[in-house]
Amino acid sequence: MKNSIINKSVILLSFFGITSFTVYKNNNTPFSSIVSIVEVPKKTSFTLDPPSKKGDDSAGSREKKWVDSIYKNMTINEKLGQLFMVSAYSNKDATHTAKIQILIEKYKVGGVIFFQGGPVRQAQLTNYYQSKAKIPLFIGLDAEWGLSMRLDSTYAYPWNMTLGAIQDLNLIEEVGKNMGSECRRMGINFNFAPVLDINTNPSNPIIGNRSFGENKANVANKAIALMKGIQSQDVLCTGKHFPGHGDTASDSHYTLPTVNFSKERIEDVELYPYKKIFKAGLASVMVAHLNIPSLEPEPNVPVSASYNVVTNLLQKEMNFKGLIFTDGLGMKGASEFKNNGDLEVAVFLAGNDILLCPNDVPLAFEKLTEAYNKTQITEERLAHSVKKILRYKYKAGLNNYKPIKLQNLQSDLNAPQKEALQYQLYANAITVLKNDNDILPIKNLNQNIAYVKMGDDVNSAFVTTLKKYTTVTEVSDSNIDSLNLQLKEYDTVIIGFHKKNTAWAPYDFSAEELVWLQKIAENNKVIVDVFTKPYALLPITNFDTVEGLVVSYQNADVAQIVSAEILFGSVGARGKLPVSINSNFTLNQGLNTENIDVLGFAVPENQGMNSSVLSKIDWIADKAVKGRMTPGMQVLVARNGKVVFQKSYGNHTYNGTEKVTNTDLYDVASLSKMISTLPNVMQVYDQKKVKLDSKLGAMLPLFAKTDKRNITFKELLSHYAGLEAWKPFYKKTLDSLNRPSPKYYRKMYDEQFSRKVADSLFIRNDYHDTIMKIIADSPLAAKKVYRYSDYTFIILKEYLETVTHQKLEVLSQQNFYNGMGMNYTGYNPLNRFKKNQIAPTEIDRYYRYQTIQGYVHDMGAAMDGGVAGHAGIFSNAMDVAKMMQLFLQKGSYGGKRYFSEATFDTFNTCYFCAKNVHRGLGFDKRLEEGGPTCGCTSSVSFGHTGFTGDIAWVDPEKDLVYVFLSNRTYPEVTEEGNKLAKNNIREDIQKIIYESITD
C-alpha cells in the first residue's frame, strides 16, 4: 500500500481482521464523520527471526544472529530512525494518527511512547502502527503505578510512597507482576519504572509520591522487587531519573533543576539504588535533565547531554550495559539547552541510545544525518546504539511480533484479583504513628463516636465503612467553637483529612484546618487519619493532644475501607513510615496494632472465592424480584471473618420507588429466636443457672403443675417436647366483625393499654398473662415427637426475664448489641428509625387493618408489644452477620468473650439426630432434602430461617456466613404460598456461594 497523508478528517482503519477503528475526541466520544477507509494488510503476525543455521544454537547466539541479520540490511535512515521513541496519544484525532504514521513510514522511528487515552483505543493504534513498521516498534508507557497513570478504565496501584511503607517485598514483587502482565497484554515492551529517586526533599514538586521514600536502602529494595515482578512478565523496566531527582526544589519539565551535592554524596546516596538494581538485572535507565556541577563542570549542561555522566559515569564507571533513554526532550530542562535537532545530536553523542519524545523529529533526523555524514557520529557509535536497541527488541519478543488481541481486553486488565491485591497492599502500608492509651483499635463500641471531615476530597468509602462497625455520627459546623460544643456529646472524635487522590495534587492542610485541628484535639479525644502523603503533617509541630494518628497515604476507596478496618481492629496496622516528619516521627516509625475478631471487608479473591461466580447471585435476585417472590432483599456473604459480598436488590414494595439499601431494616421473624433470645439463654447456661436436664416446671412455676413440667431444657430447645406449633392468639381478641375488640384494645395509649400493636392500636397489658396461660394449657403430644414450636422461645423469654429480672429487649441490647456494634438491631425500630428505612411486611386485612411497617409482622409478638422471644427483631444483613460471626467464633467477638466455647459446642450439638430430629439447641441443622439449605453445607453447619423470607446460616468447616433478608410476605401471603421457598431462591444463592469457593 502506498504511503498516504491523512487529513484532519476521521478515518476508519481496517486491520488485522478488525473491521473498524474509531478515532476518539479528547472527551472519549467518537467522531461521527467517515471520510475514507484505509485498508491494511490482514497479517496475524510476522517474524524477522532468520532461519536457524548449524552450529551454536544458544539464546545468545540466536539473538546475535537476528540482530546482525537485521542490522546489515538496514539503510542509514532506518538506523537513525531506531534512535527515536515518539509521543503518541490514543485520545487524539486522525490528524495525530496520521502524523505518527508518517514518522513510522518516512522516518522509520523505532518506538512509540503512549500518553493519555484508553486501553482499547491504544491497543488498536498499537496494532495499526506496528503494521506500518518494517522493524517492530518498541511500545513504551509511563506506568509507575500501573496503566492508569496514562490510561482510563485501567487499574491504579498505590503510589511508590505508599509501597515504601510496606515491609513485605513479596507484595511489591506481586505488584510488579501485575503491572508487567497488564503491559504485556497491551503490547507494551517498556514500562518507564521503577522510580529510583530518593525523596530527601519534602518540597520536591515532581517526585514526592513517585518515590519509595527518603532512605536509599528502602528505595533500592522496593525498586528491585518491583522490577523483578515486571520483568518476570517479559516487559522491560527503565530505572529513573538518573543520577537522582529526589532532592530538587524545581521541576525539570519547566526548568533545569540544580543539584549542588558533591560527587561523594551522590555516589553514596543517589547512586546507591542504581548500583544495587544494575546487579539485579535492570534493562534500561532514563537520564534526567539536571544541572549537577560536581558531575558535569560545564555550566548549565543537563546531565542528559553530558558525556561525563552518560558515558563516563553510567557506562564506564558503573559498567551499565543496558539501554539508555533520555528523559523527554520536550521538557524545558533539556529544550532550553539547545535548539531542536542540535539537542538530539548532543544527547546522542553524550551516550544515550534512545531519544525520547523529541519536539521535531524531521529536524532532529536531518541534524543527525548531517552529523553522521560529517563523521561527527561514527558508524561505530551508531552501531553501538542501534544493535543494542535491536538486542532489546529481541529480548522483548519483537523478533516474533504478534498483534494485540482485542477480545476481552478490558476484563483482562481489570480482573478481580487486582482488587484483592489492593486490599493486601493497603493493609500492609497504612501506618499508625500514635496510639496513646491503646485508643486503637476501637474496642468499646458502646460509646458515642463523631466523625469530622477535613480536606477537599471524597470520604464516602471511609464513613460508610466506619458505620458498619458501630454508630458514627458526622458532625460539621462553620464555626469552630460551635463545632466543639457539638463534640462535647461524643467520647471519641475521628478526624479524616481527605485530599485528591492524584500524585501531584496539593496535599497540605489549610491554615484554617490546622487551627481547627488543634482546637478539636485540645478539647476532645481524637484520632486523626490522613489520606494523603505523610508530608501533610510537617506543619504540625506538636502532636501531644492527638491520641491516635494514622497515615493512610492515599484517598483511594480501598485505602479508606482498610483504614476504617484498622481503626476498628479487623485489620492490624503494619506499615512503617518511609519518610521522616520533622523530629516528631522518624523514618521506619510505625506501631503495630491489634487484629481483633470483628468482621472486616475484602474482595472474594482475598478469601478463596471467585467474584465472577458470586456475581450470579445478581441474576437469581433479579429473578426473585421480577417473579414477585419478594419486593427486595439483602444478601451478605462473609468468609474467614471478612465480608466479601454485600448487596441489596429491589424496592421496599413492588410499586414503590424506595430502593433497598444495605442499611435498611427488615423484620427478621424467627431469626429473632437465634439473634436475641438464644444468645441470652446461652449466657444464662454459661453462668450455670440452668442445665440440659433442668425441668420446665422448675424453671417456670407457671408450668409446675402442668403436663409440661417434665420437659427438659434440652428437649425444649431441640423442639422435641411435643409442644403445639403455634396458635393465632389474636383471633380471640376480635369482635363479631373480625375487628380488634374494644374489650382488649384502645386507639390511644393509657396505663392499662400500653403495649402498642400497630399505629393507633394498643392492647391491654394483662393479655400477656392470658397468652402464657393458653400455652400452659395447650395440648401436648402423647409421646416425645419433633414439632417445631414458637412456644419454645415464648417460654424462654418468660424464663429469662424471671431469672435475670430484666426485660428481653434490655438484655439483648446490653449483653450483645451495644458491645458488638449491632446498632441497627432491636425491637420496635420506629423508636429509633424513620419508617422509610424499614421494609414493610404486609398489608394486613385480617387483624390490624393497615400496612405493617416498623411493627412486627408476627401477630403473637405484636400482642406482646412487639417484644417476643420468637419474633420482633428488626435488623439488616450486616448486623445479623455480626451475630452469626459471634457464633462462628464460638462466643467471642471484638476481643470480648460473651459465652464460653464449651457452651457454644453444647448448643450446636444435635442430641436427637438418631430420632430424626436435626436440631441443635435453638439452631436448625436440617441438611436433608426439604431442609432450608442447598444440601451442600457441612454437617457442622447451623442457622435459622424466618417466615418473612430470611435465612442466616453458618458453616464452620468453610468459615462461612450467609445472610439473606427479605419481605416476601408483602403485600400479603397469597394462596400460591411461599414462592420464594418454592423457587429455592435462598438455597440457589447458597449453592452459588459454595460453587464460588476456590480453595
Side-chain angles (χ1 to χ4, degrees), residues 121-167:
R121 289 166 277 153
Q122 179 172 309
Q124 290 172 325
L125 281 174
T126 298
N127 286 346
Y128 180 65
Y129 293 150
Q130 291 284 22
S131 77
K132 299 300 178 184
K134 180 180 177 182
I135 300 171
L137 301 164
F138 270 146
I139 304 296
L141 192 81
D142 282 310
E144 295 170 19
W145 53 84
L147 299 178
S148 71
M149 185 172 177
R150 298 299 187 209
L151 301 180
D152 60 37
S153 308
T154 55
Y155 217 81
Y157 295 94
W159 301 324
N160 287 344
M161 183 73 74
T162 308
L163 299 181
I166 296 173
Q167 303 305 296

Side-chain angles (χ1 to χ4, degrees), residues 225-280:
L226 191 71
M227 177 208 71
K228 284 181 177 179
I230 294 172
Q231 293 193 169
S232 73
Q233 303 302 303
D234 299 322
V235 173
L236 304 173
C237 280
T238 305
K240 61 187 185 185
H241 305 82
F242 186 85
H245 208 316
D247 201 337
T248 60
S250 54
D251 181 355
S252 52
H253 288 85
Y254 306 108
T255 187
L256 180 64
T258 296
V259 177
N260 277 317
F261 295 128
S262 67
K263 184 174 182 179
E264 291 72 24
R265 143 72 195 235
I266 292 170
E267 287 272 1
D268 180 55
V269 179
E270 277 73 15
L271 295 184
Y272 179 89
Y274 289 94
K275 295 172 186 176
K276 295 294 184 181
I277 203 168
F278 289 171
K279 292 179 181 178

Side-chain angles (χ1 to χ4, degrees), residues 607 638-641 674 883-891 901 904-909 923-925 927 933 936-944 952-962 990 993-994 997 999:
Q607 305 303 326
R639 190 162 192 235
N640 303 324
M674 183 173 62
M883 183 60 75
M884 302 311 288
Q885 191 68 26
L886 170 75
F887 292 139
L888 180 57
Q889 292 165 182
K890 296 188 174 185
E901 288 191 18
F904 173 79
D905 288 338
T906 297
F907 277 69
N908 192 35
T909 299
F923 294 119
D924 192 347
K925 297 179 70 66
L927 308 179
T933 70
C936 47
T937 61
S938 74
S939 60
V940 293
S941 70
F942 60 91
H944 216 287
W953 207 266
V954 168
D955 191 342
E957 192 172 282
K958 297 294 184 182
D959 209 345
L960 196 65
V961 171
Y962 165 45
Q990 190 176 44
I993 293 167
Y994 278 81
I997 296 173
D999 58 13

